[in-house]
């Protein structure tokens, strides 16, 4: 039987933006796998707020103190990238039953394309169950309090993209009109 601690897993996604649910999944994944490649997708059907370079830079900043994690951009078929990197595991997170159908279809297609690549699912920690990049971007766009939902580097980038209408300053909480503390 293979030693999972010696395995390299690839955690792919658009990460637009990276949020603390992603960070939590990586930390938990590193309890299982020796190395995780945080693979930031170039090719996406989504319209990203951040460029590929910005998404990679934010992830590099968020994981700068984690020597067993590599951040890389990728394009093309995921299973081809996984094989090229010498890995055989795709790490994915599941928040709710609604994620399962899509993730299950993707895992089956990847398995069809390369039978050597396995998909491992981790359930999201309960505190991040409601978090999604889409919801976080929408809240930031409307000056909602996203403190604690994203790493500091991401919060700074969201502030740049969505400056406060009143003073072009930091995102503020609606209730207190005080700056969000990153």
């Amino acid at each position: 039987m293979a030693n999972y601690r010696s395995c390299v897993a690839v955690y792919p996604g658009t990460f637009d933006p990276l949020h603390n649910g992603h960070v939590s999944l990586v930390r938990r994944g590193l309890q299982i796998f020796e190395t995780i490649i945080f693979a930031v997708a170039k090719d996406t059907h989504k319209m990203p707020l951040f460029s590929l370079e910005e998404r990679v830079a934010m992830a590099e900043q968020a994981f700068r103190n984690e020597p067993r994690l590599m951040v890389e951009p990728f394009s093309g078929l995921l299973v081809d990238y996984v094989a090229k990197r010498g890995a055989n595991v795709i790490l994915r997170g599941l928040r709710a039953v609604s994620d399962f159908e899509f993730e299950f279809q993707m895992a089956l297609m990847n398995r069809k394309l390369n039978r050597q690549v396995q998909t491992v699912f981790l359930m999201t920690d309960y505190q991040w169950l409601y978090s999604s990049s889409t919801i976080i971007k929408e809240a930031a766009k409307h000056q909602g309090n996203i403190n604690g939902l994203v790493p500091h580097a991401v919060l700074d980038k969201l502030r740049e993209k969505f400056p406060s209408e009143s003073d072009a300053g930091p995102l503020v909480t609606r209730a207190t009109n005080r700056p969000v503390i990153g």
Side-chain angles (χ1 to χ4, degrees):
M1 183 147 124
N3 178 357
Y4 290 105
R5 292 288 295 173
S6 66
C7 287
V8 175
V10 173
Y11 181 30
T14 53
F15 305 112
D16 184 48
L18 167 70
H19 58 73
N20 287 340
H22 298 132
V23 173
S24 173
L25 194 79
V26 164
R27 289 191 176 133
R28 292 173 49 232
L30 286 169
Q31 294 174 14
I32 301 167
F33 303 104
E34 181 62 30
T35 302
I36 293 178
I37 300 171
F38 192 85
V40 183
K42 175 184 178 186
D43 305 318
T44 176
H45 63 278
K46 302 173 184 177
M47 295 296 298
L49 174 65
F50 295 102
S51 70
L52 178 63
E53 294 76 19
E54 289 173 309
R55 290 180 280 138
V56 168
M58 287 185 287
E60 287 174 338
Q61 178 66 24
F63 296 117
R64 69 187 175 281
N65 295 322
E66 184 46 69
R68 296 184 309 140
L69 183 123
M70 296 178 285
V71 177
E72 296 181 349
F74 85 97
S75 62
L77 283 175
L78 176 59
V79 290
D80 292 343
Y81 173 77
V82 170
K84 182 177 97 177
R85 296 301 289 127
N88 68 340
V89 175
I90 297 170
L91 177 62
R92 297 295 293 163
L94 293 174
R95 289 174 300 201
V97 174
S98 57
D99 288 345
F100 182 77
E101 186 174 354
F102 172 77
E103 293 293 344
F104 184 65
Q105 290 173 343
M106 292 301 294
L108 289 176
M109 178 53 85
N110 287 333
R111 183 95 170 119
K112 169 79 171 124
L113 295 171
N114 185 333
R115 303 229 10 112
Q116 303 307 309
V117 174
Q118 307 299 322
T119 301
V120 173
F121 297 104
L122 289 180
M123 295 303 301
T124 299
D125 278 338
Y126 70 92
Q127 67 197 49
W128 309 117
L129 191 62
Y130 62 90
S131 295
S132 78
S133 295
T134 301
I135 291 171
I136 289 169
K137 283 187 292 193
E138 194 65 20
K141 178 180 174 183
H142 296 286
Q143 304 302 306
N145 182 359
I146 58 168
N147 186 36
L149 298 178
V150 296
H152 299 296
V154 175
L155 185 62
D156 292 343
K157 286 299 216 176
L158 284 166
R159 287 175 177 161
E160 289 174 18
K161 295 283 185 180
F162 303 116
S164 172
E165 293 175 11
S166 62
D167 62 3
L171 296 174
V172 297
T173 65
R174 290 179 188 266
T176 64
N177 203 30
R178 286 185 283 172
V180 173
I181 298 170

